[in-house]
């Protein structure tokens, strides 16, 4: 078995690992290797809806969303296979509490938004049923894209900046002074910096290194409906009904959600949507979009993402010096990983952090506490 010395090892070749490698390279590290046990983008990053919520929300601050939009527009320019679909988008409320959330988001965001009544939504988007709508927030320049191509674009940019991608499974970590020895099935790496960005597998890997984070693998699901007639819909989210959706480029309608289901066995995971989720979509689809009354199910799938107790990711150094984590994006890792990766790189090289890192501190929980998984499609409350 050979041993290689590098400046940083990134574990995981999903969107988070690829973006971490890009940001570490731009922060000045020379020798970076991404270790991925399967194909890049073969897990959650290739199964997402690809809605870039940073065009609609500023969950972690205006600067974080802006950085994400700029990075992804750079990828779009550099990578021919990547197409951004730009559409209108709406957050739709079906309760008084939801309408209040929309009002407060409208007042606090720096993104251009318009607050609409149910009648105004009906006038603009007549395909929506609006009898039970209590308000809507309109965004004019929202984006969705193919998440697999976006992840491959991030890998391509990383490769252009000199990052190596190796097809290897990480098995063990040993700390020897200021060096961390990373054992894979075929190689050994010595490095002062390890970034665990392994999505739903992150907790398990950190436990092997002798540390822990409060992180639970959970399921995110998608159903694609075939409507009897093609009606183009914008992107929309309905947190009161725990679903979001949009038209697909092929004229079908995508529904996403179903996020509170824990994943008990990471390896024998079934990549299909669950029956309760499909039933839920069957019920709410015609309530939101009446033209889906006689729609049929065209396809469905599921993927493993990771939940944290407060819905904030873990970004930064663990209690073991030199072992960093970037994970726990709670179903919005495609959108928020550019900011997460940049903050991670800032902290690793000791630069001024993009945002206050305290809210993302990986040691803010003990790691072994029990917690309920919250639905990702719910109203977002600032901490
Ligand atoms: C159905 C669905 C819809 C979604 N929709 C959206 C959306 O519209 N917008 C959005 O922003 N987000 C969305 N998400 C969430 C998003 O997909 C995830 O947050 C994001 O992909 C997480 O990226 P990741 O790199 O952390 O994880 P992953 O893509 O899961 O990558 C982790 C990688 O680590 C590798 N790995 C694990 N163990 C090891 C090991 N021992 N050695 C080496 N490699 C290892 C795995 O093989 C895997 O490739 C959705 C997710 C799903 C499932």
């Amino acid at each position: 078995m050979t041993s290689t010395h590098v400046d940083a090892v990134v574990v995981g070749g999903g969107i988070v690992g690829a973006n971490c490698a890009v940001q570490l390279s731009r922060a000045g590290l020379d020798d970076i290797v991404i270790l991925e046990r399967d194909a890049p983008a073969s897990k959650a990053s290739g199964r997402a809806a690809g809605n870039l919520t940073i065009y609609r929300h500023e969950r972690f601050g205006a600067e974080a969303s802006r950085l994400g939009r700029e990075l992804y527009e750079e990828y779009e320019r550099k990578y021919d296979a990547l197409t951004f679909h730009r559409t209108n988008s709406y957050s739709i409320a079906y309760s008084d509490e939801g309408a209040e959330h929309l009002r407060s988001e409208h007042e606090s965001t720096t993104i251009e938004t318009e607050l609409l009544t149910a009648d105004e939504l009906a006038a603009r988007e007549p395909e929506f049923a609006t009898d039970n709508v209590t308000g809507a927030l309109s965004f004019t320049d929202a984006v969705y894209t193919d998440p697999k191509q976006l992840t491959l674009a991030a890998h391509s940019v990383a490769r252009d900046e000199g990052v190596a991608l190796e097809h290897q499974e990480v098995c063990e970590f040993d700390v020897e002074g200021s060096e961390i020895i990373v054992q894979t099935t075929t190689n050994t790496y010595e490095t002062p910096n390890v970034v665990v960005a392994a999505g739903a597998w992150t907790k398990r890997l950190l436990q092997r290194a002798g540390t822990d984070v409060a992180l639970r693998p959970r399921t995110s699901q998608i159903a694609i409906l075939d409507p009897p007639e093609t009606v183009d819909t914008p992107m929309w989210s309905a947190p009161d009904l725990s679903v979001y959706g949009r038209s697909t480029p092929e004229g079908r309608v995508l529904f996403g959600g179903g996020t509170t289901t824990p994943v008990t066995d990471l390896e024998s995971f079934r990549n299909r949507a669950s029956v309760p989720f499909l039933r839920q979509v069957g019920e709410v689809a015609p309530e939101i979009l009446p033209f889906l009354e006689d729609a049929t199910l065209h396809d469905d799938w599921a993927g493993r993402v990771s939940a944290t107790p407060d819905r904030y990711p873990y970004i930064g150094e663990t209690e073991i010096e030199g072992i960093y984590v970037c994970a726990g994006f709670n179903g919005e890792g495609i959108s928020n990983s550019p900011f997460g990766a940049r903050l991670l790189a800032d902290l690793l090289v000791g630069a001024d952090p993009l945002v206050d890192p305290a809210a993302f501190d990986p040691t803010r929980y003990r790691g072994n506490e029990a917690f309920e998984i919250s639905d990702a499609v719910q109203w977002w409350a600032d901490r």
Side-chain angles (χ1 to χ4, degrees):
M1 204 177 270
T2 55
S3 177
T4 313
H5 190 276
V6 290
D7 288 343
V9 165
V10 177
V11 186
I15 190 94
V16 178
N19 279 330
C20 281
V22 169
Q23 295 298 338
L24 287 172
S25 163
R26 291 181 181 185
L29 267 64
D30 283 330
D31 251 343
I32 303 166
V33 63
I34 301 173
L35 302 178
E36 167 55 54
R37 70 175 187 172
D38 293 318
S42 58
K43 298 296 180 295
S45 302
R47 313 186 75 79
N51 294 350
L52 301 185
T53 57
I54 40 182
Y55 284 82
R56 297 187 280 131
H57 297 299
E58 295 172 332
R59 304 238 187 275
F60 305 121
E63 185 66 356
S65 288
R66 187 193 54 75
L67 177 128
R69 294 192 295 268
E70 282 178 7
L71 185 76
Y72 282 164
E73 284 165 21
E74 177 195 328
Y75 292 178
E76 187 199 13
R77 286 192 299 275
K78 287 184 170 163
Y79 194 73
D80 287 347
L82 184 63
T83 305
F84 277 13
H85 302 270
R86 293 181 163 80
T87 73
N88 289 343
S89 175
Y90 298 88
S91 281
I92 305 177
Y94 294 83
S95 68
D96 292 341
E97 190 202 346
E100 196 44 53
H101 275 283
L102 294 182
R103 265 191 295 278
S104 95
E105 185 171 354
H106 175 61
E107 280 160 19
S108 62
T109 183
T110 68
I111 293 172
E112 203 177 311
T113 57
E114 210 181 331
L115 206 49
L116 305 178
T117 62
D119 287 346
E120 287 166 335
L121 176 65
R124 283 193 200 184
E125 305 288 349
E127 67 275 25
F128 284 100
T130 50
D131 285 356
N132 298 323
V133 166
T134 54
L137 196 59
S138 155
F139 313 82
T140 45
D141 203 15
V143 173
Y144 73 89
T145 190
D146 178 336
K148 182 169 184 182
Q149 292 304 334
L150 184 67
T151 307
L152 297 179
H155 277 288
S156 163
V157 170
R159 191 170 52 243
D160 287 349
E161 302 200 6
V163 172
L165 169 66
E166 300 289 345
H167 184 193
Q168 291 182 38
E169 177 166 1
V170 172
C171 308
E172 301 283 341
F173 305 92
D174 289 310
V175 182
E176 286 183 9
S178 59
E179 291 289 290
I180 296 143
I181 315 298
V182 181
Q183 303 278 359
T184 74
T185 35
T186 53
N187 206 344
T188 302
Y189 293 86
E190 290 171 36
T191 180
N193 303 301
V194 171
V195 177
V196 180
W201 292 265
T202 298
K203 183 181 177 79
R204 196 168 75 182
L205 276 160
L206 288 175
Q207 284 173 336
R208 285 187 202 158
T211 185
D212 206 354
V213 282
L215 193 143
R216 291 185 71 191
R218 68 156 175 80
T219 314
S220 268
Q221 310 185 65
I222 284 176
I224 306 285
L225 303 188
D226 236 335
E229 50 173 324
T230 302
V231 179
D232 210 25
T233 77
M235 294 167 76
W236 50 268
S237 71
D240 287 321
L241 305 178
S242 298
V243 286
Y244 61 88
R246 60 169 168 81
S247 282
T248 70
E250 298 77 28
R252 300 193 175 93
V253 182
L254 174 152
F255 276 76
T259 53
T260 55
T261 318
V263 176
T264 43
D265 183 342
L266 271 172
E267 302 313 320
S268 63
F269 180 75
R270 191 173 160 267
N271 288 326
R272 308 301 305 185
S274 67
V275 171
F277 172 67
L278 295 176
R279 212 173 274 142
Q280 178 202 358
V281 170
E283 276 166 25
V284 298
E287 286 174 26
I288 299 170
L289 295 161
F291 72 91
L292 293 175
E293 183 67 50
D294 295 318
T296 53
L297 181 65
H298 173 76
D299 195 7
D300 65 89
W301 66 87
R304 288 150 283 194
V305 300
S306 39
T308 59
D310 55 6
R311 298 170 75 200
Y312 274 55
Y314 298 121
I315 304 167
E317 197 168 24
T318 66
E319 59 194 5
I320 301 177
E321 196 181 334
I323 298 194
Y324 293 77
V325 57
C326 195
F329 286 89
N330 290 274
E332 284 191 29
I334 300 290
S335 308
N336 294 314
S337 58
F339 134 77
R342 169 61 186 276
L343 178 61
L344 187 280
D346 288 345
L347 295 170
L348 193 145
V349 301
D352 266 353
L354 177 77
V355 299
D356 182 353
F360 308 97
D361 184 348
T363 64
R364 66 186 183 274
Y365 296 102
R366 282 193 321 276
N368 57 359
E369 52 269 82
F371 67 92
E372 291 292 312
I373 296 173
S374 58
D375 197 321
V377 196
Q378 65 176 24
W379 299 108
W380 181 265
D382 287 333
R383 288 174 29 181

